Amino acid sequence: MALRLTQRLLQTQTPFLTRGYPLLVTKEKTEDVAHTKSALQKKLTGTDIPSAQYGGRHGVTMLPGGGIGPELMGYVREIFRYCGAPIDFEVIDIDPSTEGNDDLDYAITSIKRNGVALKGNIETKSQSLSEVSRNVAIRNELDLYVNVVHCKSYPGIPARHQNVDVVLIRQNTDGEYAMLEHESVRGVVESMKVVTVENAERVARYAFEYARQNNRKKVTTIHKANIMKLSDGLFLEVANRVHKDYPELEHNNMIIDNTCMQAVSNPHQFDVMNMTNLYGTIVSNVICGLIGGAGLISGRNYGDHHAVFEPGTRNTGTAIAGKNIANPVAMINASIDMLNHLGHKEHANVIQEAVYQTIVDDAIRTPDLGGTHSSTDVVQNILKILSAKRVN
């Protein structure tokens, strides 16, 4: 009887609820939907997300991904071993060339079990319409509704601008990445951009709450409501409504194309930025490029029950894989964010100080930062600094 009931539930599952990839729907999906519809302010900045902990050590899912991901993960594991970070990684490799979602399904199950993951960018080489983006699927299945990228300059790093300090709050699960596309007639493809009140409010409230808790002064909502009057218009309308609960904060809005120009000419005018998925991709790459490139900044993905940490620009770096020139700092910074999230703040602080001293004070930098050093030169210098420190 239980089997018949499960089959009936799966048969009545609508395409929208499966987010366009029915191969990933399991019996856990209905449970996830039920417990992720909590009060919007229940799970916000600084709250604890349950994670696996055994004997004082945390289990963390590691997804190396493609390109430079595996070598960068090796550096992270070496640094963690050296300073005794109480983390046990469950490493899961997802083969980008295979068809089917078995590896992806296992990875999602692992993250649900551990609560936390560190990931590289995962390639999806198959062109089949049945094969979905692994990265998008992970964020959607775990309801990681917000992405946070703190773009802050490092002193002395060659860059277009100095003293930049902008926080990008990006929507992860709606917008242009809904993965709902079809060919209505031959030669005419329609791609749906989905904006819902609930998800627009979650990301807007996160942005305002983040600004309040971190002593920020202004939130800027990025949109294209002058053209997409219904979709982006709704996103902007929700942000304006949420702002009423935060009267001490300034709120303005800016069209996406103007935002890119303003970011290039004067990024210091921005404080916290609230935006949809595609706009977040564009703006994060623009601002990271202005302050040193893709190899420096980390990104954090949060839901009500899970957290995934990764490089901020989500680049695979396939062209430089295996050449020992990839900048490991973005992935190391992602691991630092993860340690802070899990409460291992002393380990996080000593690694962060070692990274800062390496690239700022000692000027040990990879070619993307104007240096001549290799990836291993950077890591070995970090280890040398850590050797002089004691961590409880």
Side-chain angles (χ1 to χ4, degrees):
M1 181 176 179
L3 178 61
R4 291 198 301 271
L5 178 59
T6 302
Q7 292 173 338
R8 184 176 300 175
L9 286 171
L10 291 176
Q11 291 170 354
T12 57
Q13 192 80 278
T14 64
F16 180 75
L17 287 177
T18 63
R19 300 181 190 272
Y21 40 94
L23 290 175
L24 298 180
V25 176
T26 66
K27 65 181 181 179
E28 297 172 351
K29 183 64 182 175
T30 53
E31 298 169 1
D32 289 346
V33 170
H35 71 228
T36 55
K37 306 304 182 184
S38 55
L40 291 170
Q41 288 178 286
K42 183 177 179 181
K43 297 283 185 181
L44 284 172
T45 313
T47 59
D48 292 329
I49 296 175
S51 55
Q53 187 171 10
Y54 310 99
R57 301 180 65 84
H58 281 94
V60 171
T61 303
M62 174 179 277
L63 305 176
I68 59 176
E71 56 193 275
L72 299 186
M73 291 299 189
Y75 301 143
V76 169
R77 296 174 74 179
E78 187 175 4
I79 291 170
F80 276 29
R81 282 195 300 267
Y82 206 81
C83 71
I87 302 296
D88 294 316
F89 287 112
E90 181 181 1
V91 183
I92 300 174
D93 291 306
I94 298 179
D95 188 345
S97 60
T98 58
E99 305 227 350
N101 295 309
D102 290 343
D103 289 346
L104 176 60
D105 196 25
Y106 179 63
I108 291 172
T109 300
S110 172
I111 299 172
K112 287 181 178 179
R113 178 171 59 247
N114 293 321
V116 176
L118 180 69
K119 71 179 285 292
N121 202 47
I122 302 170
E123 295 178 290
T124 306
K125 292 184 177 180
S126 174
Q127 298 300 311
S128 171
L129 293 177
S130 64
E131 298 301 314
V132 301
S133 165
R134 268 71 168 177
N135 302 289
V136 176
I138 288 172
R139 293 192 287 270
N140 285 345
E141 276 293 302
L142 299 174
D143 196 32
L144 302 173
Y145 63 87
V146 64
N147 172 249
V148 182
V149 179
H150 186 183
C151 299
K152 186 174 182 179
S153 299
Y154 281 91
I157 297 294
R160 299 289 182 181
H161 294 278
Q162 298 294 330
N163 302 315
V164 174
D165 188 356
V166 184
V167 178
L168 311 180
I169 307 294
R170 167 186 175 182
Q171 189 181 57
N172 254 345
T173 55
D174 264 4
E176 297 81 359
Y177 287 20
M179 295 194 300
L180 297 174
E181 296 182 306
H182 65 274
E183 189 175 33
S184 53
V185 297
R186 184 176 294 276
V188 179
V189 174
E190 297 177 337
S191 180
M192 294 183 64
K193 174 178 180 174
V194 178
V195 177
T196 63
V197 170
E198 179 183 15
N199 286 331
E201 184 169 348
R202 284 203 294 180
V203 70
R205 194 168 294 282
Y206 192 102
F208 283 104
E209 196 69 25
Y210 182 98
R212 171 181 282 174
Q213 294 185 20
N214 290 276
N215 298 315
R216 298 276 175 163
K217 305 300 181 184
K218 181 173 70 172
V219 175
T220 302
T221 296
I222 311 303
H223 64 93
K224 191 67 177 175
N226 58 321
I227 303 297
M228 287 170 273
K229 300 182 185 297
L230 293 180
S231 57
D232 280 23
L234 177 60
F235 189 81
L236 178 58
E237 176 188 339
V238 170
N240 287 330
R241 176 161 51 81
V242 172
H243 174 236
K244 295 178 181 178
D245 295 334
Y246 302 84
E248 76 279 13
L249 298 174
E250 180 185 348
H251 178 232
N252 67 336
N253 67 84
M254 191 175 291
I255 296 173
I256 176 61
D257 38 336
N258 185 38
T259 300
C260 293
M261 182 188 71
Q262 295 293 332
V264 170
S265 60
N266 180 24
H268 305 94
Q269 66 184 286
F270 298 109
D271 194 357
V272 175
M273 302 172 76
N274 166 43
M275 63 199 84
T276 59
N277 219 325
L278 179 60
Y279 304 157
T281 299
I282 295 169
V283 174
S284 63
N285 278 268
V286 168
I287 297 184
C288 286
L290 291 175
I291 63 175
L296 290 177
I297 307 302
S298 60
R300 296 167 278 164
N301 302 281
Y302 294 121
D304 287 344
H305 303 277
H306 312 93
V308 174
F309 302 88
E310 62 185 347
T313 58
R314 299 174 176 173
N315 292 324
T316 306
T318 304
I320 59 174
K323 297 181 179 180
N324 199 21
I325 59 173
N327 191 342
V329 172
M331 188 67 79
I332 296 172
N333 280 338
S335 72
I336 292 169
D337 291 339
M338 182 194 72
L339 287 172
N340 277 314
H341 171 78
L342 292 173
H344 302 299
K345 298 190 181 300
E346 189 170 357
H347 291 86
N349 289 338
V350 295
I351 298 174
Q352 187 173 34
E353 290 169 1
V355 170
Y356 186 93
Q357 182 178 330
T358 295
I359 64 173
V360 175
D361 299 333
D362 299 339
I364 308 295
R365 301 168 187 166
T366 46
D368 60 306
L369 299 181
T372 58
H373 298 90
S374 65
S375 309
T376 51
D377 288 336
V378 175
V379 174
Q380 288 303 315
N381 198 74
I382 292 172
L383 296 179
K384 182 180 72 174
I385 297 168
L386 291 175
S387 67
K389 297 179 180 292
R390 298 186 67 88
V391 184
N392 295 322

